[in-house]
Amino acid sequence: MVEQESPPQLTELFKATSDPTRRAILTLLAQHGPLRVTDIAGHFDMSLNAVSKHIKVLEVADLVRRRTEWREHLMEVNMEPLRAIDLWFDDLRSIWALRLEALDDILKKEKSE
């Protein structure tokens, strides 16, 4: 039986990063630093409202944070939650490595017999 529970944060992170536009927004913010929503929207062929909805999903997952400087709202990327994805993939890789080691042991044992 496969354990299907994962931290809720991990599910939200995968949902938020499953959309190519949201991944492009994260890349844009990582490359350029904090940007206004209107500046972000200028990079996409969609309405400001549509871009704002994508940013909201990223905010809920804590991948993007909003801060206010005077009257401007700046969006900036937050890479810290991505550690949960890194840890999950590390666990997956270690499980796979253990299975490969077990297979290697079986093959060596059969070869020696």
Side-chain angles (χ1 to χ4, degrees):
M1 180 107 190
V2 176
E3 184 179 330
Q4 295 189 8
E5 292 210 18
S6 62
Q9 180 195 22
L10 193 58
T11 302
E12 290 302 317
L13 289 171
F14 279 124
K15 283 181 187 175
T17 56
S18 67
D19 184 273
T21 300
R22 291 193 286 267
R23 289 194 303 272
I25 291 171
L26 289 173
T27 301
L28 184 69
L29 290 172
Q31 290 174 336
H32 295 278
L35 293 172
R36 296 178 308 156
V37 175
T38 52
D39 295 333
I40 296 169
H43 287 83
F44 297 93
D45 189 23
M46 62 180 67
S47 70
L48 177 62
N49 191 35
V51 170
S52 294
K53 287 181 180 179
H54 283 296
I55 290 172
K56 187 67 181 168
V57 173
L58 294 170
E59 281 184 287
V60 169
D62 197 29
L63 290 168
V64 167
R65 291 186 176 160
R66 181 184 306 257
R67 66 181 160 92
T68 304
E69 285 187 12
W70 293 93
R71 292 176 26 177
E72 291 188 339
H73 292 259
L74 297 173
M75 308 308 302
E76 58 189 351
V77 69
N78 179 24
M79 303 296 278
E80 185 60 29
L82 295 178
R83 289 178 41 85
I85 292 176
D86 289 341
L87 291 173
W88 185 78
F89 276 113
D90 285 347
D91 288 346
L92 195 60
R93 281 187 207 99
S94 68
I95 292 168
W96 185 246
L98 288 173
R99 293 192 67 201
L100 288 176
E101 285 177 23
L103 177 63
D104 190 46
D105 290 344
I106 291 169
L107 292 174
K108 284 178 183 174
K109 186 177 179 181
E110 285 182 4
K111 192 174 183 178
S112 67
E113 292 176 350

